[in-house]
Amino acid sequence: MRALSTHPDVVALQVERVRSQVNRLMWTGIVLGMAFCMTNVQEFGAEATEAEEWSPGWWAAWLLDPMVSLVLIAVVLAEQTTSRWQLATPAWARRARWATLGATYAMNTWKAWGALDLGQILLHSVPPLVVFVATEAAPEIRDRLTAAGIAAEPAVVEAAEPRAAAALEDADEPRGLPVASAVGGVRWEREELLSADPAARVEQVKDLIRGGLVPSVELTGSQVAAIFGQSPRTGRRDIEEAQRQLGMGQSEGADDQHRSAGMSTDPEHDGSSGGSGALVLVGPDRGATLGVGA
């Protein structure tokens, strides 16, 4: 259950569920705050224009708050998408938010400030301030939620390493193979594996496929992930690319026989290995090495 719960796709699904809940709560607070301000803004507009009740000017005053609120909603919707993909919005986006919220606050509290009624000032200040705080916090929260989904990848790689080691033990593959026994073989330092670029990883995966990581057992993405410090998904992609370059998809029947026997499918590699070498992975501690394939 723990291994499944730390899978990157499961973590991403959990993050998306939290994101949906955050979005619903944020939008509920924003809409309620703007709805509360609407009547106060309409009253301000009607009194400022000295429009009589039910007159055209009185009805036109109802357009003040939606005119400002729709611009604010458009900006917040745009930031909801850009923060989802960790992209910065232009400076004018924040200026537009502040300008629209400032206008709403001024029209909403103008009458209260004129009368210097502290209770009314507080009452009419809270909804615009809640909307302001929500629109300021929402983009950063969504950005951190995206980072939370990305941060799950290293945790999955760390969890894959002991599982890959257990798979090698179950296959009765010798561990702690001395480096000196790898005559004519290939030795990779752990630091080099962790810093290898995609092309180098594919070349090394090709060597693993040709040499046979575990006798009679097909190479898996988790094993490659544990070796190169990548996610299992990246390990599977490296295996697919290595198999494509080796032409393994063109002759699957012959390929299965070669992999089962730990034989090379690349003529150039057959001559270089000499059949007597062993592939050795050397960790930071040279006294604890891992021999795989032969």
Side-chain angles (χ1 to χ4, degrees):
M1 289 294 296
R2 184 170 183 270
L4 292 175
S5 64
T6 57
H7 191 280
D9 292 336
V10 176
V11 173
L13 178 60
Q14 294 173 344
V15 170
E16 289 302 323
R17 287 177 176 173
V18 174
R19 185 193 305 277
S20 299
Q21 296 173 0
V22 170
N23 286 336
R24 285 196 294 268
L25 294 173
M26 285 286 188
W27 278 111
T28 301
I30 291 173
V31 171
L32 290 177
M34 291 188 298
F36 180 88
C37 296
M38 181 178 294
T39 56
N40 298 313
V41 172
Q42 190 277 340
E43 183 179 351
F44 165 81
E47 292 182 357
T49 58
E50 298 181 354
E52 296 182 0
E53 189 174 1
W54 310 111
S55 65
W58 184 88
W59 284 108
W62 283 103
L63 301 178
L64 271 176
D65 186 78
M67 176 183 64
V68 176
S69 298
L70 289 176
V71 175
L72 174 63
I73 291 175
V75 175
V76 175
L77 280 174
E79 290 183 332
Q80 179 175 331
T81 301
T82 55
S83 61
R84 170 67 179 83
W85 302 104
Q86 295 185 314
L87 299 175
T89 53
W92 273 104
R94 172 164 289 189
R95 294 170 187 169
R97 280 195 288 109
W98 287 8
T100 53
L101 287 170
T104 300
Y105 178 83
M107 292 186 293
N108 196 55
T109 60
W110 186 269
K111 186 176 180 180
W113 280 107
L116 289 179
D117 188 336
L118 298 181
Q120 291 295 317
I121 292 174
L122 178 62
L123 175 65
H124 296 299
S125 296
V126 170
L129 290 178
V130 169
V131 175
F132 173 77
V133 172
T135 55
E136 283 292 312
E140 296 185 7
I141 291 176
R142 297 188 188 103
D143 179 85
R144 291 296 87 196
L145 287 173
T146 301
I150 298 174
E153 292 284 343
V156 173
V157 172
E158 293 176 1
E161 292 187 2
R163 291 199 297 269
L168 292 172
E169 291 178 351
D170 294 340
D172 297 329
E173 189 66 13
R175 300 193 64 182
L177 183 66
V179 177
S181 66
V183 180
V186 180
R187 189 177 74 178
W188 298 337
E189 297 292 343
R190 181 62 174 169
E191 292 77 8
E192 296 176 352
L193 293 173
L194 295 176
S195 61
D197 56 28
R201 289 202 310 268
V202 170
E203 290 299 321
Q204 292 170 338
V205 170
K206 288 164 63 177
D207 288 340
L208 291 176
I209 295 175
R210 287 183 293 224
L213 178 62
V214 180
S216 303
V217 177
E218 186 174 357
L219 184 64
T220 66
S222 297
Q223 292 170 335
V224 174
I227 293 172
F228 297 103
Q230 303 292 328
S231 66
R233 185 182 307 172
T234 303
R236 289 192 296 269
R237 287 199 296 263
D238 291 341
I239 292 175
E240 293 173 358
E241 178 61 20
Q243 290 175 342
R244 186 191 66 79
Q245 294 185 15
L246 291 172
M248 300 177 73
Q250 299 177 358
S251 56
E252 294 180 356
D255 174 64
D256 292 339
Q257 297 176 359
H258 283 98
R259 281 188 306 196
S260 299
M263 297 174 62
S264 170
T265 58
D266 190 341
E268 296 181 0
H269 184 269
D270 293 341
S272 62
S273 63
S276 61
L279 183 63
V280 181
L281 297 178
V282 182
D285 182 7
R286 294 182 178 272
T289 61
L290 174 66
V292 292

